[in-house]
Amino acid sequence: MKKNTGVSTKCVHSGELKDNQYKGATSPLFPSTAYDFIDVDNDKYPRYFNTPNQLALSKKIADLENCESALLFSSGLAAIFSSMFSFIKSGDHVIFQSSIYGGTLNLVAKEFKKFNIEYTLIDSFDINNYEEAIKPNTKIIFIESPSNPLLKVIDLEAIGNISKKYNLISIIDNTFASPINQNPADFGIDIIIHSATKYLGGHSDILAGALASTKSNIEKIVKSSINYGGNLSEYTVWLLERSIKTLSLRVKKHNDNALAVSNFLLNHKKVKSVYYPGLESHPDHELSSRQMNGYGGMLSFELSNLDEAILFTRKIKLIKSAMSLGGVESTICSPTLTSHSKISKEERENLGIFDGLLRFSVGIEDPKDIINDLSQAFDEL
Ligand SMILES: *Cc1c(COP(=O)(O)O)cnc(C)c1O
C-alpha cells in the first residue's frame, strides 16, 4: 500500500492475496502444511510463520501499525511470551508497568524465576520511575496503555526515548487502543503487541495474537519463535483477515459509543466516578489526545460497593456480564471478581481499584439502547 493510504483502505486491502485462478474478490485460503522443497529458497511450513495466509495478514497488521513487519500467534499471550523470550536470557532484567494484563503478570510472576530472569514492577506512570529502575542487566521495558482497568495512559514518546538512550527494547501491549486509535511505533516504541482475541477479531469468537516491529527485530523473534511453536492456524488467520476488514469501522463506532456512555455515566447520581481518557476530567486526557487518534471503547465506572456492582451486572439485559472485551457486543465485568481477584483488597485499593468498580467494553449497538439498558439497571439498585 502507498504510504498515504487511509486506514480504512488498509483494513480492507493491505496484504490481500490475489485469487489468480478464479478471480474471486477475497484472499484464498491455503491450509497446506506440506510444501514442495525442490528449487525453493525458503522451506514453507506453518510453524515457520511463512505460509501465504500468515504472510498476507502479517502485512496488513504491519501496515496498520506503521511497522515494517509483523507476526501472528495462537494467542495474545503467545505473542507476549515470544517477544520477550526472543530477547532475554538467564541473568537479564525486565521492567514492567504494574498495571498490565493479569495473564502477563502471571507469566512474569510464575515463570521468570525458573529462568533466573529478574524483574521490577512499577506502580506509577511517572517516566522518572522507569529510568531510575534501569540496571546494567536491563533488556526490556514493557508497558500497556491505556491500562486495565482504570484507563491510565503512559507517555509513549518518553518511554521510546529512554529505551533508545539505554539501548533497551520497548514493548507495548496495544490491545486496548487497537491500531486504529494508537500507533506506538510512531513514538519510537520497538515492538507492538495485540491480543487479536479482542478488537482485531472483534466478534468474541477468535483466540489470536499479533506483534509488529522492524524487519530485523521480527527476524530475531522468528528465529526463537519457531522453537516455541505458538503460530496461528491458517483457518483462524483467514478468519482474522476477514474480521480486520471492518476494524476501522468498528473501532470508530466503539469510540463514539464509549464517549456517549461515559458522558451519561458522568452525570448519573449513582456513579461515584468514571474513568475514560476521552473525558476532559480524566487526568491523562491531554496526553491521550496527543498520542491517540481516538479514545477507545473501554471505560470503567464505580458504584458504592461490591454488592451494588454485582446487583447491577445481574440487572443489565442488553449488555452482557462477561470477562473479555473488544467484541461488537457490550460487556461488563467486575475487576474485583475477575482480573484482580487473586490479589488482596488492600493491594487492589492501593492500585485505585475499589470493589464497586465495573469495567465496560462498550459495543457497537445503538448508543441509546446501551444507555437505556444502563438506566433501567440503575433504577433497580
Ligand atoms: C486478553 C488480553 C491479553 C491476552 O490475550 P489472549 O489472546 O487471551 O492470550 C493480553 N493483553 C491484554 C491487554 C488483553 O486484554
Side-chain angles (χ1 to χ4, degrees):
M1 289 268 131
K2 285 200 203 103
K3 237 201 148 96
N4 59 354
T5 303
V7 72
S8 300
T9 310
K10 287 182 187 169
C11 283
V12 179
H13 293 297
S14 260
E16 65 191 344
L17 289 173
K18 291 261 177 306
D19 173 2
N20 292 324
Q21 194 172 6
Y22 299 110
K23 315 286 182 199
T26 65
S27 294
L29 167 61
F30 297 101
S32 193
T33 56
Y35 286 87
D36 192 348
F37 66 93
I38 304 287
D39 298 331
V40 291
D41 298 336
N42 284 312
D43 290 341
K44 276 201 187 319
Y45 189 61
R47 184 163 47 76
Y48 300 167
F49 299 89
N50 61 4
T51 47
N53 290 92
Q54 288 188 71
L55 292 176
L57 182 55
S58 296
K59 177 85 180 66
K60 194 193 285 292
I61 289 170
D63 276 356
L64 285 170
E65 280 294 10
N66 297 336
C67 285
E68 288 173 355
S69 207
L71 293 172
L72 298 159
F73 290 87
S74 55
S75 69
L77 212 61
I80 289 168
F81 175 89
S82 303
S83 66
M84 290 197 289
F85 279 79
S86 299
F87 292 96
I88 50 179
K89 58 180 189 324
S90 172
D92 286 343
H93 173 246
V94 183
I95 297 173
F96 290 93
Q97 177 186 317
S98 68
S99 55
I100 49 176
Y101 178 68
T104 313
L105 275 184
N106 226 27
L107 161 67
V108 174
K110 300 275 158 61
E111 309 297 333
F112 268 35
K113 261 200 209 110
K114 293 185 198 166
F115 297 96
N116 188 30
I117 295 161
E118 283 181 65
Y119 63 93
T120 306
L121 294 175
I122 310 239
D123 278 342
S124 97
F125 287 70
D126 180 344
I127 296 303
N128 294 324
N129 293 134
Y130 289 78
E131 189 159 10
E132 282 160 14
I134 295 171
K135 306 202 248 181
N137 57 341
T138 306
K139 290 281 150 48
I140 292 174
I141 299 187
F142 190 106
I143 56 166
E144 192 173 310
S145 185
S147 74
N148 178 33
L150 295 176
L151 290 311
K152 291 193 189 165
V153 172
I154 193 159
D155 188 333
L156 301 184
E157 193 170 14
I159 292 288
N161 287 342
I162 306 181
S163 306
K164 284 199 179 57
K165 185 170 159 193
Y166 295 92
N167 202 21
L168 312 177
I169 299 208
S170 51
I171 305 182
I172 185 170
D173 185 332
N174 203 28
T175 300
F176 269 35
S178 90
I180 307 304
N181 284 332
Q182 182 167 272
N183 295 128
D186 295 350
F187 299 92
I189 303 295
D190 297 311
I191 299 175
I192 293 95
I193 290 179
H194 288 282
S195 166
T197 313
K198 316 299 163 53
Y199 287 104
L200 300 188
H203 296 71
S204 308
D205 55 8
I206 289 178
L207 184 77
L211 63 79
S213 190
T214 58
K215 265 207 178 84
S216 76
N217 279 338
I218 294 289
E219 275 165 19
K220 282 181 201 147
I221 295 169
V222 166
K223 238 184 213 166
S224 293
S225 298
I226 60 173
N227 302 322
Y228 304 151
N231 71 284
L232 187 60
S233 113
E234 306 300 326
Y235 299 98
T236 315
V237 170
W238 186 86
L239 196 53
L240 183 56
E241 183 196 337
R242 205 272 304 265
S243 298
I244 294 179
K245 289 181 188 185
T246 57
L247 180 66
S248 156
L249 205 59
R250 282 187 279 114
V251 168
K252 280 173 187 151
K253 184 69 173 160
H254 284 294
N255 292 347
D256 292 347
N257 282 2
L259 185 62
V261 167
S262 60
N263 274 315
F264 164 77
L265 292 169
L266 198 60
N267 295 314
H268 201 285
K269 58 182 187 309
K270 288 183 177 154
V271 175
K272 287 176 73 182
S273 24
V274 186
Y275 303 90
Y276 184 62
L279 290 175
E280 276 172 28
S281 56
H282 189 284
D284 302 323
H285 178 67
E286 201 198 319
L287 177 59
S288 322
S289 306
R290 249 189 290 145
Q291 65 189 29
M292 298 180 79
N293 311 314
Y295 302 105
M298 298 301 299
L299 62 89
S300 289
F301 61 101
E302 201 183 310
L303 303 179
S304 300
N305 51 50
L306 187 59
D307 285 346
E308 212 176 79
I310 292 172
L311 181 60
F312 189 84
T313 55
R314 288 191 201 285
K315 294 297 177 187
I316 42 178
K317 291 175 182 159
L318 176 75
I319 305 162
K320 295 182 163 76
S321 67
M323 261 165 69
S324 209
L325 62 108
V328 289
E329 58 286 290
S330 289
T331 58
I332 282 184
C333 76
S334 150
T336 295
L337 298 180
T338 59
S339 56
H340 293 72
S341 63
K342 290 188 185 74
I343 62 172
S344 71
K345 186 179 162 94
E346 193 190 349
E347 282 176 279
R348 276 196 302 271
E349 292 188 351
N350 281 338
L351 294 170
I353 302 164
F354 292 89
D355 284 351
L357 192 75
L358 289 172
R359 190 191 74 182
F360 192 174
S361 172
V362 183
I364 64 166
E365 302 94 341
D366 290 293
K368 71 170 170 38
D369 295 327
I370 302 173
I371 288 170
N372 282 343
D373 193 32
L374 291 170
S375 224
Q376 66 79 24
F378 280 126
D379 290 345
E380 297 281 331
L381 295 184

